[in-house]
Amino acid sequence: VEEWDKASGHYNEFRDEHPDSGYKNDVLVASLPMLVMQGRKEEGLQKLRDVVWENQGDPLSPVLAEMFGSYVEFLKDEFDNEVFFAQMNGLQDQRGATPCIMGWATVAKADALERQEVEQENVDKEFYRLEAGFKPEAQSNYPIVRLARWKAHVRKRPEEAKVLYQYILDNRPGSANFEYCLIDTAEIQVQSDDPGERAAAMEKFQQVLAEIPNEELQEKAVLGMGRIKTKEGDYAASQPIWEQYLANAGWRLSRPEANFRLAECFDKSGNTSDALKVYVSIYANFPGHLDWSTRAYLRTAAITKAGGDDLKALKVLQDMLKRMGHLDHPGVDRAKEVFVKWREEYQSKVAAEAG
């Protein structure tokens, strides 16, 4: 207690003697544990709120972004949900609140609701509120990105999301969350049938690889580049990209897909021996990833049958159905159809040879 009292004295002295110091916010955040220990957490909360309110007029203010983050974390750590939502509602509704601070508060509520795993419609209400009259120039980057992701992934309106991302890319280069806008926009463009859009996506992915030393985004960039080349049927170009992805053991977003695409590259080039090795490894190591393991099983069976070993091909499918036949998946349904067809053909062949 004595040490906390000394710390409190230093904090009060700094606050009184250096009210305009550039370090005052750092000191405030550092003092929060002391205020909690002394039963003064409401004081700490109010000070954080005051700093947020003072900086609400500048959407690009790093102080606003940093201190709003500290404010939300302090609420989460030291207060219950009722207080958290009361504070956010207060910011949304207080006279004089700017669209910027209302955007931060609305997104904070949406984030909190998602953490609570409530019904999606409750989260959606917050984004509908944010969306109403939304002007990106009046908002900080994080609320813009969160709204864009909601539009892309929940509302399934990627083109509307891309407009929001593009605002940041065009008007706020180098600002907070800029790199996420690059990746998110490129991932939307990858899905396009327009070669120009895919080329633009490739440029963004390459920019991320060259300029942004973030493992999460680097992984997404390589994955996106591989998907573009695969979509375009350029297997010679996609093979080294998939090999690059798989060479990084820490990249786990889509290893089953990357393995399948590498096998596909071998397959398309006529290297069925290496293709089979990778296909088998997929259904052995990633059986639960049905979109890829079922395709790997089916392709293994097809290559085996094309090589003249009808019985072994049937055994591949039989193994697949023993392991997966009870599951509801289009790949499993396809395997059942192929197995019945091939079994009948094999039985007829054996009967003909015996006769």
Side-chain angles (χ1 to χ4, degrees):
V1 174
E2 185 175 322
E3 292 301 318
W4 285 117
D5 288 341
K6 288 181 181 179
S8 178
H10 292 312
Y11 166 68
N12 291 334
E13 179 183 353
F14 182 90
R15 180 193 61 194
D16 295 339
E17 295 184 7
H18 306 282
D20 298 320
S21 170
Y23 296 102
K24 64 180 182 180
N25 293 329
D26 296 324
V27 172
L28 170 57
V29 172
S31 74
L32 293 174
M34 173 200 73
L35 295 174
V36 172
M37 289 296 296
Q38 293 186 326
R40 298 163 60 192
K41 66 180 183 181
E42 287 79 9
E43 177 185 340
L45 181 63
Q46 186 58 50
K47 290 182 179 299
L48 287 170
R49 191 184 191 283
D50 288 345
V51 175
V52 167
W53 189 261
E54 289 166 6
N55 289 275
Q56 66 162 324
D58 181 6
L60 293 179
S61 167
V63 173
L64 174 60
E66 291 166 12
M67 295 306 287
F68 191 88
S70 297
Y71 174 51
V72 166
E73 287 302 310
F74 192 59
L75 275 166
K76 285 163 51 182
D77 292 344
E78 302 297 336
F79 296 86
D80 60 26
N81 286 333
E82 184 177 351
V83 174
F84 176 88
F85 284 105
Q87 288 279 317
M88 294 302 108
N89 290 334
L91 283 177
Q92 287 177 317
D93 300 333
Q94 184 169 334
R95 182 184 297 274
T98 62
C100 177
I101 198 63
M102 289 190 286
W104 275 106
T106 304
V107 167
K109 287 170 64 179
D111 288 345
L113 290 168
E114 287 185 345
R115 287 193 300 273
Q116 294 174 18
E117 298 182 349
V118 301
E119 294 292 332
Q120 182 62 43
E121 64 181 21
N122 294 319
V123 180
D124 292 344
K125 287 177 183 177
E126 297 301 326
F127 283 110
Y128 284 125
R129 176 170 181 164
L130 181 62
E131 185 180 36
F134 189 85
K135 296 180 179 179
E137 64 271 18
Q139 299 287 340
S140 297
N141 285 5
Y142 182 66
I144 297 174
V145 170
R146 286 292 281 117
L147 180 60
R149 287 180 173 172
W150 175 75
K151 283 178 175 287
H153 302 305
V154 178
R155 298 281 286 158
K156 306 300 182 186
R157 295 179 176 178
E159 291 305 313
E160 292 183 14
K162 194 168 72 169
V163 171
L164 293 176
Y165 291 131
Q166 200 63 48
Y167 175 82
I168 294 175
L169 296 178
D170 290 342
N171 298 285
R172 299 176 178 179
S175 59
N177 301 113
F178 181 85
E179 63 273 28
Y180 291 96
C181 294
L182 276 176
I183 284 289
D184 287 7
T185 304
E187 288 180 337
I188 291 172
Q189 292 175 313
V190 166
Q191 306 303 318
S192 176
D193 292 328
D194 181 352
E197 285 287 286
R198 294 198 300 271
M202 185 66 79
E203 289 180 6
K204 291 180 177 70
F205 289 138
Q206 290 169 337
Q207 182 179 349
V208 169
L209 290 177
E211 301 175 7
I212 302 171
N214 177 306
E215 276 295 305
E216 174 194 358
L217 300 186
Q218 294 258 320
E219 177 180 4
K220 288 185 175 183
V222 173
L223 191 57
M225 291 167 65
R227 286 169 174 167
I228 288 173
K229 292 304 179 183
T230 297
K231 186 181 181 73
E232 293 176 346
D234 190 345
Y235 296 100
S238 67
Q239 180 173 330
I241 299 174
W242 293 119
E243 289 173 335
Q244 178 185 357
Y245 183 91
L246 292 168
N248 191 322
W251 288 357
R252 313 299 302 175
L253 277 178
S254 198
R255 295 193 78 78
E257 175 188 2
N259 274 280
F260 184 87
R261 294 309 185 190
L262 179 60
E264 196 173 40
C265 291
F266 291 140
D267 204 349
K268 295 293 184 180
S269 68
N271 183 359
T272 55
S273 175
D274 283 337
L276 276 173
K277 292 175 185 176
V278 183
Y279 284 136
V280 171
S281 76
I282 294 167
Y283 60 73
N285 296 323
F286 307 104
H289 294 263
L290 296 178
D291 287 349
W292 305 108
S293 60
T294 57
R295 294 170 74 178
Y297 257 124
L298 286 164
R299 187 58 192 146
T300 298
I303 292 174
T304 303
K305 184 174 177 61
D309 197 336
D310 293 353
L311 181 58
K312 187 176 180 180
L314 279 170
K315 289 180 177 179
V316 171
L317 292 178
Q318 186 177 49
D319 177 61
M320 176 183 177
L321 294 174
K322 282 182 179 178
R323 299 172 71 185
M324 303 177 176
H326 62 290
L327 299 174
D328 181 16
H329 188 274
V332 175
D333 295 340
R334 175 61 181 160
K336 291 176 180 177
E337 294 172 2
V338 173
F339 180 76
V340 170
K341 179 175 182 292
W342 287 2
R343 183 179 59 187
E344 291 175 353
E345 291 174 352
Y346 180 73
Q347 290 170 340
S348 297
K349 176 184 174 183
V350 170
E353 290 174 350

Short mmCIF file of all heavy atoms in Angstrom, two decimals, residues 281-320:
data_model
loop_
_atom_site.label_atom_id
_atom_site.label_comp_id
_atom_site.label_asym_id
_atom_site.label_seq_id
_atom_site.Cartn_x
_atom_site.Cartn_y
_atom_site.Cartn_z
N SER A 281 -1.40 -37.64 -49.19
CA SER A 281 -1.08 -36.95 -47.93
C SER A 281 -2.22 -36.04 -47.48
O SER A 281 -2.41 -35.83 -46.27
CB SER A 281 0.20 -36.12 -48.10
OG SER A 281 -0.03 -34.93 -48.84
N ILE A 282 -2.99 -35.54 -48.42
CA ILE A 282 -4.10 -34.64 -48.08
C ILE A 282 -5.18 -35.39 -47.33
O ILE A 282 -5.62 -34.98 -46.25
CB ILE A 282 -4.68 -33.96 -49.34
CG1 ILE A 282 -3.64 -33.03 -49.96
CG2 ILE A 282 -5.96 -33.18 -48.98
CD1 ILE A 282 -4.00 -32.55 -51.36
N TYR A 283 -5.63 -36.52 -47.89
CA TYR A 283 -6.72 -37.22 -47.19
C TYR A 283 -6.22 -37.96 -45.96
O TYR A 283 -6.99 -38.28 -45.06
CB TYR A 283 -7.57 -38.07 -48.11
CG TYR A 283 -6.92 -39.20 -48.87
CD1 TYR A 283 -6.52 -40.36 -48.23
CD2 TYR A 283 -6.79 -39.13 -50.26
CE1 TYR A 283 -5.97 -41.43 -48.94
CE2 TYR A 283 -6.24 -40.19 -50.98
CZ TYR A 283 -5.83 -41.33 -50.32
OH TYR A 283 -5.29 -42.38 -51.03
N ALA A 284 -4.90 -38.21 -45.89
CA ALA A 284 -4.34 -38.83 -44.69
C ALA A 284 -4.19 -37.82 -43.56
O ALA A 284 -4.46 -38.12 -42.39
CB ALA A 284 -2.99 -39.47 -45.00
N ASN A 285 -3.76 -36.60 -43.90
CA ASN A 285 -3.44 -35.60 -42.88
C ASN A 285 -4.57 -34.60 -42.61
O ASN A 285 -4.60 -34.00 -41.53
CB ASN A 285 -2.19 -34.81 -43.29
CG ASN A 285 -0.96 -35.68 -43.36
OD1 ASN A 285 -0.79 -36.59 -42.55
ND2 ASN A 285 -0.10 -35.44 -44.34
N PHE A 286 -5.46 -34.43 -43.58
CA PHE A 286 -6.53 -33.43 -43.42
C PHE A 286 -7.89 -34.03 -43.74
O PHE A 286 -8.66 -33.46 -44.53
CB PHE A 286 -6.27 -32.22 -44.34
CG PHE A 286 -4.91 -31.60 -44.19
CD1 PHE A 286 -3.93 -31.82 -45.15
CD2 PHE A 286 -4.60 -30.80 -43.10
CE1 PHE A 286 -2.66 -31.25 -45.03
CE2 PHE A 286 -3.34 -30.22 -42.97
CZ PHE A 286 -2.37 -30.45 -43.93
N PRO A 287 -8.24 -35.15 -43.17
CA PRO A 287 -9.50 -35.80 -43.55
C PRO A 287 -10.73 -34.97 -43.24
O PRO A 287 -11.75 -35.07 -43.93
CB PRO A 287 -9.49 -37.10 -42.72
CG PRO A 287 -8.59 -36.80 -41.56
CD PRO A 287 -7.53 -35.90 -42.11
N GLY A 288 -10.65 -34.15 -42.21
CA GLY A 288 -11.81 -33.34 -41.83
C GLY A 288 -12.07 -32.15 -42.73
O GLY A 288 -13.14 -31.55 -42.67
N HIS A 289 -11.10 -31.79 -43.56
CA HIS A 289 -11.27 -30.67 -44.50
C HIS A 289 -11.88 -31.24 -45.79
O HIS A 289 -11.19 -31.45 -46.79
CB HIS A 289 -9.93 -29.99 -44.75
CG HIS A 289 -9.36 -29.30 -43.55
ND1 HIS A 289 -9.51 -27.96 -43.31
CD2 HIS A 289 -8.67 -29.81 -42.51
CE1 HIS A 289 -8.92 -27.65 -42.17
NE2 HIS A 289 -8.41 -28.75 -41.66
N LEU A 290 -13.17 -31.48 -45.73
CA LEU A 290 -13.83 -32.27 -46.77
C LEU A 290 -13.77 -31.66 -48.16
O LEU A 290 -13.76 -32.39 -49.16
CB LEU A 290 -15.29 -32.52 -46.38
CG LEU A 290 -15.50 -33.37 -45.12
CD1 LEU A 290 -16.98 -33.50 -44.80
CD2 LEU A 290 -14.87 -34.75 -45.28
N ASP A 291 -13.74 -30.34 -48.25
CA ASP A 291 -13.68 -29.72 -49.57
C ASP A 291 -12.42 -30.15 -50.31
O ASP A 291 -12.41 -30.20 -51.56
CB ASP A 291 -13.70 -28.20 -49.46
CG ASP A 291 -15.07 -27.67 -49.08
OD1 ASP A 291 -16.03 -28.45 -49.11
OD2 ASP A 291 -15.17 -26.48 -48.73
N TRP A 292 -11.36 -30.45 -49.57
CA TRP A 292 -10.09 -30.83 -50.20
C TRP A 292 -9.82 -32.33 -50.11
O TRP A 292 -9.32 -32.93 -51.06
CB TRP A 292 -8.95 -30.01 -49.59
CG TRP A 292 -9.23 -28.55 -49.69
CD1 TRP A 292 -9.57 -27.69 -48.68
CD2 TRP A 292 -9.28 -27.77 -50.89
NE1 TRP A 292 -9.81 -26.43 -49.17
CE2 TRP A 292 -9.63 -26.44 -50.53
CE3 TRP A 292 -9.04 -28.05 -52.24
CZ2 TRP A 292 -9.76 -25.43 -51.46
CZ3 TRP A 292 -9.17 -27.03 -53.18
CH2 TRP A 292 -9.53 -25.74 -52.78
N SER A 293 -10.13 -32.94 -48.97
CA SER A 293 -9.83 -34.37 -48.82
C SER A 293 -10.69 -35.22 -49.75
O SER A 293 -10.21 -36.21 -50.31
CB SER A 293 -10.02 -34.81 -47.37
OG SER A 293 -11.34 -34.59 -46.91
N THR A 294 -11.95 -34.85 -49.96
CA THR A 294 -12.79 -35.63 -50.87
C THR A 294 -12.29 -35.51 -52.31
O THR A 294 -12.25 -36.50 -53.05
CB THR A 294 -14.27 -35.19 -50.80
OG1 THR A 294 -14.36 -33.78 -51.11
CG2 THR A 294 -14.85 -35.45 -49.42
N ARG A 295 -11.86 -34.33 -52.68
CA ARG A 295 -11.34 -34.13 -54.04
C ARG A 295 -10.03 -34.90 -54.23
O ARG A 295 -9.75 -35.44 -55.30
CB ARG A 295 -11.13 -32.64 -54.31
CG ARG A 295 -12.43 -31.86 -54.33
CD ARG A 295 -12.20 -30.36 -54.37
NE ARG A 295 -11.75 -29.91 -55.67
CZ ARG A 295 -11.52 -28.63 -55.97
NH1 ARG A 295 -11.73 -27.69 -55.06
NH2 ARG A 295 -11.11 -28.29 -57.17
N ALA A 296 -9.22 -34.93 -53.16
CA ALA A 296 -7.95 -35.66 -53.24
C ALA A 296 -8.21 -37.17 -53.39
O ALA A 296 -7.54 -37.85 -54.19
CB ALA A 296 -7.11 -35.39 -51.99
N TYR A 297 -9.16 -37.69 -52.63
CA TYR A 297 -9.54 -39.11 -52.77
C TYR A 297 -10.01 -39.41 -54.19
O TYR A 297 -9.58 -40.39 -54.82
CB TYR A 297 -10.67 -39.43 -51.80
CG TYR A 297 -10.28 -40.17 -50.54
CD1 TYR A 297 -10.58 -39.64 -49.29
CD2 TYR A 297 -9.66 -41.41 -50.60
CE1 TYR A 297 -10.25 -40.33 -48.12
CE2 TYR A 297 -9.34 -42.11 -49.44
CZ TYR A 297 -9.63 -41.56 -48.20
OH TYR A 297 -9.31 -42.25 -47.06
N LEU A 298 -10.94 -38.58 -54.69
CA LEU A 298 -11.51 -38.83 -56.01
C LEU A 298 -10.46 -38.77 -57.11
O LEU A 298 -10.46 -39.58 -58.04
CB LEU A 298 -12.63 -37.82 -56.29
CG LEU A 298 -13.93 -38.07 -55.52
CD1 LEU A 298 -14.82 -36.83 -55.55
CD2 LEU A 298 -14.68 -39.27 -56.10
N ARG A 299 -9.54 -37.80 -56.98
CA ARG A 299 -8.51 -37.68 -58.01
C ARG A 299 -7.52 -38.84 -57.93
O ARG A 299 -7.06 -39.35 -58.95
CB ARG A 299 -7.79 -36.34 -57.89
CG ARG A 299 -6.82 -36.07 -59.04
CD ARG A 299 -7.50 -36.08 -60.39
NE ARG A 299 -6.53 -36.09 -61.48
CZ ARG A 299 -6.69 -36.71 -62.64
NH1 ARG A 299 -7.80 -37.38 -62.89
NH2 ARG A 299 -5.75 -36.67 -63.56
N THR A 300 -7.21 -39.28 -56.70
CA THR A 300 -6.34 -40.45 -56.53
C THR A 300 -6.96 -41.67 -57.20
O THR A 300 -6.29 -42.42 -57.92
CB THR A 300 -6.11 -40.73 -55.04
OG1 THR A 300 -5.44 -39.61 -54.44
CG2 THR A 300 -5.26 -41.98 -54.84
N ALA A 301 -8.24 -41.85 -56.98
CA ALA A 301 -8.94 -43.00 -57.59
C ALA A 301 -8.93 -42.89 -59.11
O ALA A 301 -8.71 -43.89 -59.82
CB ALA A 301 -10.36 -43.06 -57.06
N ALA A 302 -9.16 -41.67 -59.61
CA ALA A 302 -9.22 -41.49 -61.07
C ALA A 302 -7.87 -41.77 -61.72
O ALA A 302 -7.79 -42.40 -62.78
CB ALA A 302 -9.68 -40.07 -61.39
N ILE A 303 -6.78 -41.28 -61.10
CA ILE A 303 -5.44 -41.53 -61.65
C ILE A 303 -5.13 -43.02 -61.61
O ILE A 303 -4.57 -43.59 -62.57
CB ILE A 303 -4.38 -40.73 -60.84
CG1 ILE A 303 -4.56 -39.23 -61.08
CG2 ILE A 303 -2.98 -41.18 -61.22
CD1 ILE A 303 -3.66 -38.35 -60.21
N THR A 304 -5.50 -43.66 -60.50
CA THR A 304 -5.24 -45.09 -60.36
C THR A 304 -5.99 -45.90 -61.43
O THR A 304 -5.44 -46.82 -62.05
CB THR A 304 -5.65 -45.56 -58.95
OG1 THR A 304 -4.95 -44.79 -57.98
CG2 THR A 304 -5.34 -47.03 -58.75
N LYS A 305 -7.24 -45.53 -61.66
CA LYS A 305 -8.04 -46.24 -62.67
C LYS A 305 -7.47 -45.98 -64.07
O LYS A 305 -7.39 -46.91 -64.90
CB LYS A 305 -9.49 -45.77 -62.60
CG LYS A 305 -10.43 -46.51 -63.57
CD LYS A 305 -11.86 -46.10 -63.35
CE LYS A 305 -12.81 -46.77 -64.35
NZ LYS A 305 -12.78 -48.26 -64.24
N ALA A 306 -7.06 -44.73 -64.32
CA ALA A 306 -6.49 -44.41 -65.63
C ALA A 306 -5.20 -45.18 -65.87
O ALA A 306 -4.84 -45.46 -67.03
CB ALA A 306 -6.23 -42.91 -65.73
N GLY A 307 -4.52 -45.57 -64.78
CA GLY A 307 -3.30 -46.36 -64.90
C GLY A 307 -3.57 -47.84 -65.11
O GLY A 307 -2.62 -48.63 -65.21
N GLY A 308 -4.83 -48.22 -65.16
CA GLY A 308 -5.20 -49.59 -65.47
C GLY A 308 -5.48 -50.48 -64.28
O GLY A 308 -5.79 -51.67 -64.45
N ASP A 309 -5.41 -49.94 -63.06
CA ASP A 309 -5.65 -50.78 -61.87
C ASP A 309 -7.05 -50.49 -61.33
O ASP A 309 -7.24 -49.75 -60.37
CB ASP A 309 -4.59 -50.49 -60.81
CG ASP A 309 -4.51 -51.58 -59.75
OD1 ASP A 309 -5.54 -52.28 -59.56
OD2 ASP A 309 -3.45 -51.72 -59.11
N ASP A 310 -8.04 -51.10 -61.97
CA ASP A 310 -9.43 -50.84 -61.60
C ASP A 310 -9.74 -51.27 -60.18
O ASP A 310 -10.47 -50.57 -59.46
CB ASP A 310 -10.37 -51.59 -62.56
CG ASP A 310 -10.30 -51.06 -63.98
OD1 ASP A 310 -9.63 -50.03 -64.18
OD2 ASP A 310 -10.92 -51.66 -64.88
N LEU A 311 -9.21 -52.40 -59.76
CA LEU A 311 -9.50 -52.89 -58.42
C LEU A 311 -8.92 -51.97 -57.34
O LEU A 311 -9.59 -51.67 -56.35
CB LEU A 311 -8.94 -54.31 -58.24
CG LEU A 311 -9.20 -54.96 -56.88
CD1 LEU A 311 -10.71 -55.04 -56.60
CD2 LEU A 311 -8.57 -56.36 -56.82
N LYS A 312 -7.70 -51.52 -57.55
CA LYS A 312 -7.09 -50.61 -56.58
C LYS A 312 -7.85 -49.29 -56.51
O LYS A 312 -8.01 -48.70 -55.44
CB LYS A 312 -5.63 -50.35 -56.94
CG LYS A 312 -4.87 -49.56 -55.89
CD LYS A 312 -3.39 -49.43 -56.24
CE LYS A 312 -2.65 -48.63 -55.18
NZ LYS A 312 -1.20 -48.49 -55.51
N ALA A 313 -8.34 -48.83 -57.67
CA ALA A 313 -9.12 -47.60 -57.70
C ALA A 313 -10.40 -47.76 -56.87
O ALA A 313 -10.79 -46.86 -56.11
CB ALA A 313 -9.47 -47.22 -59.13
N LEU A 314 -11.03 -48.92 -56.99
CA LEU A 314 -12.22 -49.20 -56.18
C LEU A 314 -11.89 -49.24 -54.70
O LEU A 314 -12.65 -48.75 -53.86
CB LEU A 314 -12.84 -50.53 -56.60
CG LEU A 314 -13.74 -50.50 -57.83
CD1 LEU A 314 -14.08 -51.93 -58.27
CD2 LEU A 314 -15.02 -49.71 -57.56
N LYS A 315 -10.73 -49.79 -54.38
CA LYS A 315 -10.33 -49.86 -52.97
C LYS A 315 -10.07 -48.46 -52.39
O LYS A 315 -10.33 -48.22 -51.21
CB LYS A 315 -9.09 -50.73 -52.82
CG LYS A 315 -9.38 -52.22 -53.02
CD LYS A 315 -8.13 -53.07 -52.86
CE LYS A 315 -8.46 -54.54 -53.01
NZ LYS A 315 -7.24 -55.40 -52.87
N VAL A 316 -9.57 -47.54 -53.21
CA VAL A 316 -9.38 -46.16 -52.76
C VAL A 316 -10.74 -45.55 -52.39
O VAL A 316 -10.90 -44.94 -51.32
CB VAL A 316 -8.70 -45.30 -53.85
CG1 VAL A 316 -8.71 -43.82 -53.46
CG2 VAL A 316 -7.25 -45.77 -54.07
N LEU A 317 -11.72 -45.73 -53.26
CA LEU A 317 -13.05 -45.20 -52.99
C LEU A 317 -13.70 -45.91 -51.80
O LEU A 317 -14.41 -45.30 -51.00
CB LEU A 317 -13.94 -45.33 -54.22
CG LEU A 317 -13.56 -44.44 -55.42
CD1 LEU A 317 -14.50 -44.71 -56.58
CD2 LEU A 317 -13.61 -42.97 -55.04
N GLN A 318 -13.46 -47.22 -51.70
CA GLN A 318 -14.02 -47.97 -50.58
C GLN A 318 -13.47 -47.45 -49.25
O GLN A 318 -14.20 -47.28 -48.27
CB GLN A 318 -13.68 -49.45 -50.74
CG GLN A 318 -14.33 -50.36 -49.71
CD GLN A 318 -14.02 -51.82 -49.97
OE1 GLN A 318 -12.85 -52.19 -50.16
NE2 GLN A 318 -15.04 -52.65 -49.99
N ASP A 319 -12.17 -47.17 -49.24
CA ASP A 319 -11.55 -46.60 -48.03
C ASP A 319 -12.15 -45.24 -47.70
O ASP A 319 -12.45 -44.94 -46.54
CB ASP A 319 -10.04 -46.47 -48.25
CG ASP A 319 -9.34 -45.81 -47.07
OD1 ASP A 319 -9.39 -46.37 -45.96
OD2 ASP A 319 -8.76 -44.73 -47.25
N MET A 320 -12.34 -44.45 -48.74
CA MET A 320 -12.94 -43.13 -48.55
C MET A 320 -14.33 -43.24 -47.92
O MET A 320 -14.66 -42.53 -46.96
CB MET A 320 -13.03 -42.40 -49.89
CG MET A 320 -13.74 -41.05 -49.81
SD MET A 320 -13.89 -40.29 -51.45
CE MET A 320 -14.83 -38.81 -51.04
#
